[in-house]
Amino acid sequence: MSIVIPPPPDFSSHEEEVPEFNPGASSRTWYQYLLILAALVFAAVSVGFVGTIIWNSAPEWAHHTGTLLGGNGWQSPAGPFGGLAMIVGTLETSVIALVIAVVIGLGASISIVFLIPRRFRNIVATFVELLAAVPSVVYGLWGFLVLAPWMLKTVIPWLDSWPFAKELFGSVGQQDGQSLLLASVVLGVMILPTFVAISREVIAVVPNDLIEASLSLGATRWQVIREVVLPTAKIGLFGATFLALARATGETVAVALIAGGVANVQFHLLYPGTSIAAWIATEFGEAQGNEVAALMALGVLLMLVNFGLSLISRWLVSRQRKVLAVV
Amino acid sequence: MSDMIDLVESPEPDTNLRDEIRQISDRVRRRRQLRSKFMITLCALALSVTAVPLFLLLYQLFDRGLPVILHTGFFTQLPQTPNLITPNATGGVSNAIIGTLVLSLYASIMAIPIGVLVGVYLAESVSKLAASLRVISQTMAGAPSILMGLFAFSFVVRDLNIGFSALAGSFALAVLMLPVIVISTEIAVRGVPHTLREAGLALGAKPHKVSMKIVLPAALTGIVTGIILAISRAIGETAPVLLVIGGGYINSWKPLDPVSALPLSIYENAKSEWPSLRTEVWGIALVLVVFVFVLSLSARIWASRKQQAR
Amino acid sequence: MDQEFMAQVETKVATPSETLERGAAAMQLKNVAVSFHGRTAVRDCTFDVTKNRVTSLIGPSGSGKTTLLRALNRLHDLTPGAKVSGQILLEGTDIYRGDITVTELRTRVGMVFQRPNPFPTMSIYENAVSGLRFNGVKKKSILDEAAETSLKSAALWDSVQGRLKVAASNLSGGEQQRLCIARALAMDPEVLLMDEPTSALDPIATLKIEDLMTELKKRVTVVIVTHNMQQAARISDDCAFLLMGEDRAGELIEFDTTEKIFNNPIDPRTLDYTLGRFG
Ligand SMILES: Nc1ncnc2c1ncn2[C@@H]1O[C@H](COP(=O)(O)OP(=O)(O)OP(=O)(O)O)[C@@H](O)[C@H]1O
Ligand SMILES: [Mg+2]
């Protein structure tokens, strides 16, 4: 071929270097000392927060660790104070709530990112935020005065009419319709916005490249989501899940109002139960001496679980960022 | 050129293979399409399900709460305890409204200055302290609020011997607000363009002057939004104040007096034996929710307005 | 009216040399225009993509090459506000016709993107057969055979044969891009669209892919967008030159054999561009 080969035109742009701004490098002024002072105060508050609760629970840990972690039954005011019912209740309510929140939240996040036209996205986001802004005591009130009576009047008789209802659910219908299950459902609604807030962000940053590549191979919209978007966002979605779980374990008054407040290890979900946080809230007012320490010890447990879950979540979300940076 | 490439003769496309693939994909195409439609519909359904509780809740609140707050004296009177002679007496919730205002005022006074300064520090420093405080603030931001109550009880009520009081309650709420303010301030300050800072520095301004006169004003919207959101979260919290404010039945602005708060009266009235109190509770809940919604919506609207103005 | 319009087009777009014997058209574009939210990005594109030839789209940045290319496998379908008008025929059938299944169309018209984008969560093997899996092929023997064939076609088989189960992100940029080509070839498409497939690669990897294309056109029709004049000249048989008009919308200036476009184009702007006098 007798083609004149011209030099390729140069289209590369010159990116400007942005120098780092670092005030710490220059000599310190009163302003910087003020900032550091504030930071130290904040550090002190955080340490004090953790330290005070642990310190106050120490007597109970020293003598009754076994009872706290494995004992059933809470005998005020003298003890023993068994924490098993609360631990199990916390697990039950938060895991069920999590399942509800993740299933619905995943669908909702996918819809927000892929189905809702951009101009409505803000409105939907606002809705989800409002859902998160409703104070938990109001959810509790709703569950306690509306949903629980409704369970008692409508749902439970209906469940009772099923064949084998007794074997499945036991004989139900005490308290005022309060139950672990109802608490879990309301809890699920409460942690839903937490999950959606992170999961939709994680889903939204899956590179468009990959979505277009899969479309170009003939994938349907659902296949794009199922085979490409979700696997790519997997780590971050786990992060969102852990954060939602952390929220669920720490939720207090709603569970205190709806779960029924019975300190007994309970696997029948239509029976009343309690959780660690709810139990602290309901018992603390009347607690004296050792019982205060026992409740503080439950608080330590709650703190460990919550902080652990939060840190795992944080780590997962940051790992997701790194994964996407490689892509 | 071709020696640069490990190219074996490109294999002839196998027509049998191609036909088989085409056949399979033709056969399952409709099914895939239907499946996709179905799953996408499920997702849309999930989103609508999300809206259901919000609407149900708001409906109940207005339906049951509106008549209550229209009742004379609801905002201005002190609560009355019903008894056998006057079973319908409820009075008002002035103490709880004042209590909530008092609590959030003192909590803000404690949390805002420190929170903003720490946020600026985190945004502008690269020290080890900053890195660990960042992790701490994010962990604290998700900590169960009941723990703030335990902390305030042990430290303020008991160790400092201040007793059940507005001060103890606002301390608990301040601990709750602090990490939220820290995080949002850091984000807002980091969002200020480098060029703005460099312009200031280039004019010979001292770094702290640049920080106060240029960076903070530019980040103000984000900082204020964070503060409002922190307050709106604190206002609705029951667990921490439940343990430490003492549930006072008087209108008082004094930090050392026991006070009440809207979420606390909701919690207590809901559990009450008296039907009149359980009716009144919807009014209190309505006030609280309106309070919180107005705060968080105004924060959001303000933030987006400012963003558009830029 | 119609004649007037045709006359306009005539003066605007230089028609390909009559003398050339052209094979059958794989795709035909007739007055194709694409707009976003009512703003035209590219218009007046009328030319044929001939079977078993490489057609290149050249033109300065923003002249709508990518936009036009993406119209050819309906990737604009999901872009809000995007509208494609005119006619695009694949084997004589309008691909925007109501009864066309987009997923099927896209298996017949494959695409390779500017940045290598293998699926990061899949292995090399899974990437190669991802298209088949999307389309419901599950049988292992078919998948294995298709993976081998397509990886061989993309000149990747020898270097990855022993590590098919390794994550695709472990490959070099050039290998990743060839994996993306293999992935597209596995479905045996009739047309392969490539949007600056070598712009993210080093010169050696670029040469490998260029060689590959010459080999590929025996079995698949290639449409390639490129900024690199040498590349367009070296590998393409036909060439379409796009340029922005006064309203910043891209339009087809000239379409012809690559030799004509680079050696004696009809429109002086084409010569200016290929000689690097503006851009
Ligand atoms: N999704 C979109 N929404 C709105 N405008 C778009 C969109 N995609 C492309 N455009 C516009 O269409 C015009 C052509 O863009 P296109 O990417 O096709 O140019 P190009 O020739 O491929 O440029 P380059 O050589 O830089 O890749 C541009 O003005 C661009 O802003
Ligand atoms: Mg382009």
Side-chain angles (χ1 to χ4, degrees):
Chain A
M1 276 205 278
S2 60
I3 288 179
V4 188
I5 296 178
D10 180 25
F11 289 110
S12 61
S13 63
H14 301 280
E15 280 182 23
E16 276 174 62
E17 286 270 314
V18 183
E20 269 296 313
F21 172 74
N22 186 2
S26 56
S27 66
R28 294 225 163 109
T29 61
W30 61 268
Y31 178 70
Q32 271 135 7
Y33 282 116
L34 186 65
L35 291 185
I36 292 173
L37 182 68
L40 291 177
V41 170
F42 180 55
V45 169
S46 313
V47 171
F49 170 70
V50 176
T52 305
I53 297 175
I54 293 181
W55 176 254
N56 281 294
S57 70
E60 196 62 16
W61 288 120
H63 302 294
H64 306 293
T65 307
T67 321
L68 262 176
L69 296 177
N72 194 8
W74 189 278
Q75 316 293 335
S76 321
F81 304 111
L84 195 59
M86 298 88 205
I87 296 172
V88 171
T90 304
L91 272 177
E92 287 167 340
T93 50
S94 36
V95 168
I96 299 172
L98 188 69
V99 171
I100 295 172
V102 168
V103 169
I104 298 180
L106 209 51
S109 309
I110 290 171
S111 310
I112 293 175
V113 178
F114 294 112
L115 304 184
I116 305 275
R118 193 152 296 164
R119 61 210 141 102
F120 296 128
R121 223 170 272 176
N122 246 333
I123 298 175
V124 176
T126 310
F127 262 108
V128 175
E129 253 168 49
L130 286 185
L131 206 58
V134 175
S136 57
V137 69
V138 175
Y139 280 112
L141 174 72
W142 184 51
F144 184 66
L145 289 188
V146 180
L147 296 182
W150 174 69
M151 287 285 286
L152 198 63
K153 263 200 227 97
T154 317
V155 181
I156 292 180
W158 177 69
L159 285 178
D160 272 340
S161 70
W162 286 16
F164 307 114
K166 286 269 175 318
E167 286 74 10
L168 272 176
F169 308 118
S171 53
V172 286
Q174 59 274 288
Q175 294 278 323
D176 300 314
Q178 294 151 290
S179 65
L180 284 168
L181 184 68
L182 187 59
S184 313
V185 172
V186 175
L187 203 52
V189 172
M190 295 173 68
I191 60 173
L192 186 64
T194 306
F195 180 81
V196 170
I198 300 185
S199 69
R200 69 173 253 248
E201 205 176 295
V202 170
I203 288 177
V205 297
V206 169
N208 213 20
D209 273 24
L210 301 177
I211 295 171
E212 290 183 343
S214 46
L215 282 175
S216 293
L217 291 166
T220 61
R221 276 194 322 149
W222 173 248
Q223 283 176 321
V224 173
I225 292 166
R226 179 68 194 81
E227 319 270 334
V228 176
V229 174
L230 294 185
T232 309
K234 192 170 74 188
I235 301 172
L237 290 176
F238 276 121
T241 308
F242 276 96
L243 194 70
L245 188 59
R247 281 285 145 80
T249 56
E251 190 41 63
T252 311
V253 276
V255 181
L257 280 171
I258 309 174
V262 174
N264 190 23
V265 176
Q266 184 57 270
F267 293 104
H268 278 312
L269 294 178
L270 284 173
Y271 274 60
T274 189
S275 75
I276 295 178
W279 193 248
I280 298 175
T282 48
E283 294 304 298
F284 204 83
E286 264 92 70
Q288 297 288 335
N290 281 347
E291 194 174 1
V292 171
L295 290 172
M296 291 275 179
L298 285 184
V300 171
L301 220 53
L302 183 61
M303 183 156 67
L304 288 180
V305 171
N306 181 275
F307 284 5
L309 291 171
S310 280
L311 287 173
I312 293 174
S313 156
R314 219 180 102 78
W315 176 70
L316 286 172
V317 171
S318 71
R319 250 194 63 192
Q320 173 80 58
R321 292 222 176 87
K322 272 182 208 132
V323 167
L324 289 181
V326 172
V327 173
Chain B
M1 214 46 66
S2 57
D3 60 1
M4 304 201 57
I5 187 160
D6 44 356
L7 192 77
V8 215
E9 239 334 86
S10 173
E12 280 302 304
D14 179 345
T15 43
N16 284 340
L17 182 66
R18 175 201 287 194
D19 290 346
E20 207 169 341
I21 291 172
R22 285 275 148 92
Q23 267 168 22
I24 295 175
S25 70
D26 284 345
R27 202 165 35 176
V28 299
R29 180 159 301 119
R30 234 187 101 67
R31 206 163 68 213
R32 287 170 51 221
Q33 231 98 41
L34 285 179
R35 193 183 154 76
S36 177
K37 285 227 174 69
F38 178 71
M39 295 309 288
I40 299 269
T41 313
L42 275 191
C43 288
L45 209 64
L47 185 61
S48 11
V49 166
T50 311
V52 168
L54 187 62
F55 283 118
L56 277 183
L57 189 67
L58 288 181
Y59 170 75
Q60 297 276 1
L61 274 178
F62 279 94
D63 188 44
R64 301 191 183 193
L66 218 48
V68 176
I69 64 169
L70 295 178
H71 175 76
T72 45
F74 179 78
F75 291 102
T76 51
Q77 287 177 9
L78 283 171
Q80 292 164 20
T81 322
N83 52 44
L84 287 176
I85 300 158
T86 52
N88 293 326
T90 52
V93 288
S94 65
N95 63 329
I97 293 179
I98 292 180
T100 286
L101 293 178
V102 167
L103 287 171
S104 40
L105 177 69
Y106 295 148
S108 301
I109 292 175
M110 287 186 251
I112 293 174
I114 298 180
V116 170
L117 288 175
V118 176
V120 173
Y121 176 75
L122 292 194
E124 298 199 338
S125 168
V126 287
S127 66
K128 277 234 174 66
L129 178 63
S132 38
L133 282 185
R134 192 169 297 125
V135 177
I136 288 175
S137 62
Q138 299 207 342
T139 316
M140 291 275 287
S145 58
I146 186 89
L147 297 180
M148 314 319 185
L150 289 180
F151 179 34
F153 174 82
S154 313
F155 181 58
V156 183
V157 175
R158 229 182 34 196
D159 295 352
L160 297 182
N161 205 12
I162 286 174
F164 297 99
S165 57
L167 189 63
S170 40
F171 180 79
L173 294 184
V175 177
L176 192 102
M177 287 167 64
L178 246 178
V180 181
I181 298 178
V182 169
I183 293 171
S184 54
T185 302
E186 184 188 353
I187 294 173
V189 171
R190 277 186 189 276
V192 176
H194 276 287
T195 45
L196 221 54
R197 292 179 175 165
E198 277 148 27
L201 290 175
L203 291 176
K206 294 250 172 56
H208 71 274
K209 281 265 159 64
V210 172
S211 187
M212 278 186 302
K213 296 260 158 70
I214 298 178
V215 176
L216 275 185
L220 197 63
T221 306
I223 296 175
V224 173
T225 307
I227 290 173
I228 296 177
L229 288 178
I231 294 175
S232 80
R233 198 188 142 196
I235 280 182
E237 283 289 351
T238 317
V241 296
L242 174 68
L243 305 189
V244 294
I245 60 173
Y249 281 106
I250 49 165
N251 295 333
S252 170
W253 291 85
K254 295 199 201 100
L256 296 184
D257 280 348
V259 291
S260 186
L262 289 170
L264 188 61
S265 4
I266 295 174
Y267 181 70
E268 282 175 347
N269 284 13
K271 295 206 301 184
S272 156
E273 300 291 323
W274 297 97
S276 56
L277 289 183
R278 280 197 265 163
T279 309
E280 192 201 24
V281 74
W282 290 100
I284 315 177
L286 181 59
V287 172
L288 180 62
V289 167
V290 167
F291 236 167
V292 170
F293 276 17
V294 165
L295 276 179
S296 50
L297 277 181
S298 60
R300 199 182 160 84
I301 291 170
W302 195 45
S304 63
R305 267 260 186 78
K306 278 283 162 77
Q307 223 162 37
Q308 271 165 11
R310 250 181 227 164
Chain C
M1 174 68 204
D2 231 356
Q3 265 175 350
E4 222 177 87
F5 178 64
M6 284 316 288
Q8 252 178 5
V9 174
E10 215 88 65
T11 49
K12 235 189 232 169
V13 183
T15 43
S17 22
E18 315 273 309
T19 49
L20 181 82
E21 272 294 310
R22 302 186 72 86
M27 293 190 99
Q28 290 167 286
L29 288 75
K30 295 184 178 165
N31 269 315
V32 176
V34 185
S35 62
F36 297 103
H37 298 289
R39 268 196 66 214
T40 306
V42 61
R43 62 163 164 247
D44 287 345
C45 293
T46 304
F47 60 89
D48 288 1
V49 175
T50 311
K51 265 188 192 162
N52 297 96
R53 281 167 81 90
V54 177
T55 303
S56 61
L57 305 181
I58 60 170
S61 209
S63 57
K65 304 179 295 295
T66 301
T67 306
L68 181 62
L69 194 75
R70 291 160 61 94
L72 301 186
N73 73 344
R74 292 185 56 172
L75 260 193
H76 290 308
D77 277 18
L78 288 181
T79 316
K83 190 173 170 302
V84 180
S85 57
Q87 265 192 330
I88 301 175
L89 309 181
L90 174 66
E91 300 282 341
T93 315
D94 188 343
I95 62 169
Y96 284 87
R97 217 172 63 187
D99 59 336
I100 294 286
T101 317
V102 197
T103 50
E104 190 201 350
L105 166 75
R106 294 197 183 123
T107 61
R108 294 175 57 192
V109 182
M111 184 140 185
V112 175
F113 297 81
Q114 183 165 2
R115 247 164 35 113
N117 56 0
F119 300 121
T121 53
M122 298 183 194
S123 68
I124 295 173
Y125 175 85
E126 287 168 331
N127 261 287
V129 301
S130 54
L132 300 179
R133 289 219 169 125
F134 287 141
N135 284 282
V137 181
K138 293 196 185 103
K139 218 162 122 194
K140 185 139 192 336
S141 59
I142 303 183
L143 293 179
D144 286 350
E145 197 180 336
E148 183 174 341
T149 317
S150 61
L151 285 170
K152 273 182 182 158
S153 309
L156 198 57
W157 177 250
D158 290 336
S159 61
V160 301
Q161 192 178 3
R163 46 180 178 143
L164 289 175
K165 296 276 179 280
V166 163
S169 47
N170 290 349
L171 297 176
S172 72
E175 288 173 325
Q176 286 188 10
Q177 191 64 306
R178 273 184 282 154
L179 180 58
C180 292
I181 295 174
R183 182 173 71 180
L185 289 177
M187 282 310 294
D188 237 322
E190 290 145 55
V191 180
L192 188 61
L193 310 174
M194 304 177 117
D195 189 359
E196 303 186 44
T198 59
S199 68
L201 305 181
D202 63 57
I204 293 181
T206 300
L207 283 179
K208 283 193 183 183
I209 291 197
E210 288 181 2
D211 281 356
L212 188 58
M213 254 175 289
T214 336
E215 195 61 39
L216 279 180
K217 70 179 179 190
K218 288 176 194 157
R219 50 181 280 213
V220 57
T221 309
V222 177
V223 182
I224 178 173
V225 169
T226 177
H227 264 219
N228 181 334
M229 290 306 110
Q230 299 180 13
Q231 187 171 65
R234 270 170 29 80
I235 62 170
S236 73
D237 305 300
D238 295 321
C239 184
F241 172 55
L242 281 73
L243 191 63
M244 290 86 88
E246 299 100 58
D247 58 347
R248 313 284 308 155
E251 49 198 25
L252 181 67
I253 299 299
E254 188 163 356
F255 175 81
D256 212 321
T257 58
T258 304
E259 195 164 352
K260 273 293 289 280
I261 292 280
F262 278 86
N263 286 335
N264 54 8
I266 296 170
D267 197 297
R269 291 171 293 182
T270 312
L271 190 66
D272 286 348
Y273 182 73
T274 52
L275 290 179
R277 290 205 195 117
F278 71 89

